[in-house]
Amino acid sequence: MLHITPIVVLVKRSDAVQALLPGADAYVAREVHLSGTDAHRLHETVDWSPEDGVLVFYGGTAGSTSVGALEFVRVDTPHGPIEVAVGFTPQGAVRGVVVTKATVEMKPWVLEAVAAGLTDHYRGLRPGGAPGGAPGGVPGGAAGIAGRAGNLAVYVAGEVDKGVARALAAYGAFYNHVRA
Amino acid sequence: MLYDLRRADVRVKWLVTGLLATLGLSYVFGAAMVALYAGFTPQSVAATYAGAEMSMPMPPETTMVVQRPMSMADFAGPEVHTVDTKLLIQDTHVHVPMYGLIAAALGVVVVGLSLPRRWALGLIGLLFAAPWLDFAGMWLTKLVSPRFAIVTIAAGWAMGVAYLIVAALAIHQMWLSRERG
């Protein structure tokens, strides 16, 4: 039993929720159970299949007003998994990105990337195809901090880019387009 | 027999003592790591290794949505560390060779102990069987049934018990026995 890759919590989920859904006083979990066809489409788009074929979005409201939604996305890397929380405004633009988990090995790389301004590069992005969409569907976080951070920080920024791209693709295709 | 730890050169005894102390330290921290990430109960081990993969849900014919209210307390709840199939493959690849080397090192110590042959054979068998069962339990928990978590727990304890038996016998025979050389 002595064999577990240590994963550390960088930001608690509850803190990420408060940061990405500011002012919300009620929350709802919206589980989108993907059909085989839709799961295949998502996989073709961003090379990703959510766990059990279920996307989970968390919506927040303040009174009767929506303050947006967020999604936690896991990215498996050769160095272990990271988890990225991506928050959206009610208008569908990225409000913010928080890296919530990483392995012990990757933690300093993530902290360096975030200190170099990684998450600033995602603000305002919209799902591909929409005005302001990420060029080619790829958020430019890693490119944005290249030259201001070390190679490993830029590397892990590329993995965060993948998480944001997945969240954008999932949100754009499934958040408002499937009825409960 | 030429190799008898009771009458071995003091340098050999010192080497074996150092090996046992180092392995003991790694076992203590290994147990702490298990407590942090998997726990010692069948339920917690099953939650770590079986995860959601046990259900193997079929995708619906059309994409569907289920909504449920959440509270902030739901976000703040403790999160279960899970080991998916890919990570378990990696863990097995990394740890099984190391477990083999540890079992071999402890087995060499057993060979130098003054023990009835069948006891020595049994102890060496236990040193190798425990890590085999440890990983067998994890894979069976993931692929067959969460009930196999008990195998991993039993095997983990067996690894610790086997180490303690070898360490206690070796220290006693090398440094405390009246028959030592």
Side-chain angles (χ1 to χ4, degrees), chain A residues 1-5, chain B residues 33-34 49 91 95 99 134-135 138 152:
Chain A
M1 295 171 67
L2 318 174
H3 40 39
I4 299 157
T5 304
Chain B
M33 200 163 159
V34 170
Y49 292 100
D91 282 343
H95 286 87
Y99 279 169
D134 190 30
F135 273 91
M138 291 175 211
T152 286

Side-chain angles (χ1 to χ4, degrees), chain A residues 1-6 13 17-18 27-35 38 52 58 74 101 178, chain B residues 33-34 37 49 52 60-61 63-68 70 72 79 81 84 91 95 99 134-135 138 152:
Chain A
M1 295 171 67
L2 318 174
H3 40 39
I4 299 157
T5 304
R13 278 191 164 198
V17 170
Q18 286 179 328
Y27 305 93
V28 63
R30 183 177 171 88
E31 296 177 355
V32 181
H33 296 251
L34 297 176
S35 67
D38 282 340
D52 294 333
Y58 299 97
R74 172 176 158 152
K101 291 179 191 171
V178 186
Chain B
M33 200 163 159
V34 170
Y37 290 100
Y49 292 100
E61 287 191 14
T63 294
M64 51 181 272
V65 174
V66 178
Q67 288 200 163
R68 58 186 164 83
M70 295 274 294
M72 187 50 78
E79 293 180 39
H81 177 81
D84 62 15
D91 282 343
H95 286 87
Y99 279 169
D134 190 30
F135 273 91
M138 291 175 211
T152 286

Side-chain angles (χ1 to χ4, degrees), chain B residues 9-27:
Chain B
D9 187 280
V10 71
R11 290 170 296 182
V12 175
K13 291 183 179 181
W14 189 232
L15 185 155
V16 170
T17 303
L19 172 72
L20 292 171
T22 305
L23 291 181
L25 184 68
S26 73
Y27 273 50

Side-chain angles (χ1 to χ4, degrees), chain B residues 81-164:
Chain B
H81 177 81
T82 57
V83 177
D84 62 15
T85 303
K86 287 180 183 174
L87 189 53
L88 188 52
I89 289 170
Q90 180 183 314
D91 282 343
T92 308
H93 163 70
V94 171
H95 286 87
V96 166
M98 186 53 64
Y99 279 169
L101 291 176
I102 292 171
L106 291 173
V108 170
V109 175
V110 171
V111 171
L113 296 175
S114 175
L115 285 176
R117 188 175 294 257
R118 79 174 63 165
W119 278 87
L121 289 173
L123 200 45
I124 291 170
L126 179 62
L127 287 168
F128 282 96
W132 272 84
L133 288 171
D134 190 30
F135 273 91
M138 291 175 211
W139 280 106
L140 290 168
T141 300
K142 179 167 292 301
L143 300 176
V144 181
S145 165
R147 293 179 181 178
F148 283 102
I150 194 73
V151 176
T152 286
I153 292 173
W157 282 108
M159 287 171 65
V161 169
Y163 164 79
L164 285 175

